[in-house]
Amino acid sequence: MSLDLNKVAGSIASMASDLVLQGLKRVDALNAAIDKFENPGDLTTLKKRLAQAKTSWLLAEISGSLNQRFEPSELPPDYIVIATDGSQIDIDRHHPARCCLVNIGRVYLHYGQNPDCFLESEPTLFSSTEELVLKPEQGNPGREISIEGPLLGIKRTVEEFRYLSHLAGKLPAGLPALALVDGSLIMWGLMSKDLPDFVIDAMLDKGVLKYISEIEKLNFQNQLALASYISFPRSTDVINSLRITVCPHQVPDCDKFCTSIDSGERPCDILAGVVDRELFWACLKDNQRSDVFISQSKISKTRYGCNQIYFFYIKAGIEIARVEIPEWVACRPELLHLTHSLILDQCRKGQGYPVALSEAHEMAVVSGADRQNFFYLVDEYFTASNLSTSSSAKSVSKNNRWI
């Protein structure tokens, strides 16, 4: 039976009306945020208050002057952009074959006098116990964790960085290059309290951070930057930092001073409801980027080391994007300027979104038909090997409707 949208049409109309009212309120909050952004007061004092603040929301650490804008530098005559993206087929608990698949799209784009490119995908099947289970090095079987669901998504991210590092290792010496991934460099999925340390070690320390460090080492022979691109970001880190400017307390402490105050009534709520992209859409001109900020994410500060995550916002055509970079890119002006100019160029070539990431996604995407064909192929090989292909009753029912 199809979805009966008539039954929710009234609710949708009510939602639209509520959003209109929220939008009118947000105009005042945005104007207040712009004023605080342009006139933050003494920056040294603000940085000190940010360092002392105890808030219930994530702050952005100001690494520079807060409201300075930067124009892009000229494009180098020859340069390379590489990118990876991934997709997966998760374990189907209703299927007799306990396996999953990760498909990584890889893109290499060489611009200049001798242009070149290649686009390809690399599917990998994971089926053995060693591939599907994470366990501590001491070998406690009771603590084994299956790689499926959200954890498979994290495993896919590790594979994206592994292939990106491999691509970077094949770059010709001497040419400026940018390595790009989609989404955040911060492994938010590993911040769950339910995940033991050995999982974080495997996915982060021996996974993503290992490959980011391998890319950094290649800067001895190349001018190579690494960045992630977040389209239509919903982050509020910078807005949250501006809230500190209107806090009446010398040392901001949400739990100490504001737990008894209703939401919307706190002094800093004059900036509530605004996201960073709205602020920078109003404050940046086309092609400009913001100053660089430092993420205060706990996992970035405590686990990333010299790869700690910095970020800036960029007005790239039709949108404000958040660009995340490791510390070693943020602290080298030539790499920072290269990242800015090459991302802008990629957005121009990709109709508002980096073309390398768009192509990597197209190479990686796994459709519903692909997933169905994958399990058909598994069933064929199971049948040829005289293995059972029986599925759960629920799966059979879904595939054979009788009413």
Side-chain angles (χ1 to χ4, degrees):
M1 182 177 179
S2 60
L3 176 64
D4 188 351
L5 290 174
N6 290 322
K7 293 183 178 180
V8 294
S11 298
I12 293 173
S14 178
M15 176 183 68
S17 298
D18 290 342
L19 290 175
V20 170
L21 293 175
Q22 292 174 23
L24 293 174
K25 293 179 180 179
R26 198 162 60 243
V27 170
D28 292 336
L30 177 58
N31 288 333
I34 293 170
D35 178 63
K36 293 300 179 182
F37 179 75
E38 299 292 4
N39 307 285
D42 181 68
L43 200 58
T44 301
T45 301
L46 176 56
K47 289 182 178 180
K48 182 179 179 180
R49 296 188 74 206
L50 285 170
Q52 296 173 332
K54 298 178 180 179
T55 67
S56 54
W57 11 266
L58 194 63
L59 301 173
E61 182 179 338
I62 301 170
S63 67
S65 60
L66 177 65
N67 54 18
Q68 190 173 354
R69 287 81 154 173
F70 296 86
E71 299 289 343
S73 57
E74 290 188 10
L75 286 171
D78 285 273
Y79 60 93
I80 296 169
V81 179
I82 58 175
T84 57
D85 197 15
S87 187
Q88 76 253 5
I89 297 175
D90 207 342
I91 293 172
D92 184 349
R93 69 183 186 89
H94 298 287
H95 195 277
R98 186 168 179 77
C99 63
C100 59
L101 180 142
V102 171
N103 192 38
I104 303 297
R106 297 182 287 180
V107 170
Y108 173 100
L109 303 174
H110 186 168
Y111 300 92
Q113 294 182 344
N114 299 296
D116 191 14
C117 74
F118 71 79
L119 300 86
E120 61 184 13
S121 64
E122 187 67 37
T124 303
L125 179 70
F126 298 98
S127 60
S128 67
T129 301
E130 291 75 16
E131 294 171 330
L132 295 176
V133 171
L134 285 176
K135 52 188 175 182
E137 293 183 358
Q138 300 303 319
N140 183 348
R143 299 193 69 200
E144 292 180 353
I145 293 182
S146 176
I147 301 177
E148 57 184 307
L151 198 55
L152 178 59
I154 295 172
K155 172 66 174 177
R156 186 201 72 203
T157 300
V158 173
E159 291 297 295
E160 290 171 9
F161 278 93
R162 182 169 75 87
Y163 279 105
L164 191 69
S165 173
H166 182 71
L167 274 178
K170 293 186 174 183
L171 291 172
L175 286 181
L178 174 64
L180 266 181
V181 292
D182 181 55
S184 180
L185 291 177
I186 302 170
M187 301 293 286
W188 297 103
L190 291 176
M191 294 185 67
S192 170
K193 294 180 180 179
D194 297 329
L195 291 177
D197 284 342
F198 71 85
V199 172
I200 301 176
D201 290 340
M203 296 297 190
L204 187 64
D205 300 341
K206 299 174 184 177
V208 170
L209 293 183
K210 171 188 173 183
Y211 298 121
I212 291 179
S213 296
E214 288 181 359
I215 294 172
E216 180 196 7
K217 292 175 184 177
L218 296 171
N219 272 300
F220 290 111
Q221 60 181 7
N222 284 342
Q223 187 180 344
L224 172 62
L226 167 68
S228 72
Y229 185 93
I230 304 174
S231 179
F232 203 70
R234 295 178 293 176
S235 306
T236 58
D237 308 38
V238 177
I239 291 292
N240 291 341
S241 294
L242 293 178
R243 293 175 75 148
I244 299 300
T245 66
V246 298
C247 179
H249 306 287
Q250 185 174 359
V251 178
D253 189 328
C254 295
D255 290 338
K256 182 177 181 180
F257 299 113
C258 296
T259 51
S260 61
I261 304 176
D262 292 337
S263 179
E265 301 298 325
R266 298 166 297 186
C268 66
D269 283 337
I270 64 169
L271 305 183
V274 179
V275 295
D276 289 351
R277 71 169 185 272
E278 294 171 318
L279 172 67
F280 288 106
W281 181 262
C283 294
L284 293 178
K285 295 180 180 179
D286 288 346
N287 302 327
Q288 287 183 334
R289 69 165 175 86
S290 71
D291 214 328
V292 175
F293 302 91
I294 306 173
S295 172
Q296 294 298 289
S297 160
K298 182 179 178 180
I299 195 168
S300 174
K301 289 181 68 68
T302 61
R303 302 295 293 252
Y304 275 58
C306 63
N307 293 313
Q308 183 177 353
I309 303 306
Y310 290 53
F311 65 92
F312 61 83
Y313 288 93
I314 186 171
K315 196 168 190 176
I318 61 175
E319 74 169 354
I320 293 289
R322 173 169 163 143
V323 176
E324 294 183 349
I325 50 179
E327 183 179 68
W328 52 269
V329 174
C331 294
R332 287 181 57 181
E334 72 277 13
L335 293 184
L336 186 57
H337 297 326
L338 180 70
T339 301
H340 181 185
S341 60
L342 292 194
I343 283 181
L344 274 178
D345 185 59
Q346 282 289 291
C347 288
R348 294 190 196 103
K349 290 178 167 64
Q351 299 180 3
Y353 181 77
V355 65
L357 288 178
S358 180
E359 293 299 331
H361 170 76
E362 288 300 316
M363 298 304 299
V365 68
V366 174
S367 67
D370 291 332
R371 183 182 184 281
Q372 192 173 36
N373 289 335
F374 167 74
F375 282 109
Y376 280 155
L377 184 62
V378 171
D379 286 344
E380 286 185 5
Y381 277 99
F382 267 46
T383 300
S385 301
N386 294 319
L387 294 171
S388 172
T389 60
S390 61
S391 299
S392 71
K394 181 177 181 179
S395 179
V396 172
S397 176
K398 284 183 177 181
N399 293 325
N400 298 282
R401 304 306 296 172
W402 54 279
I403 292 180

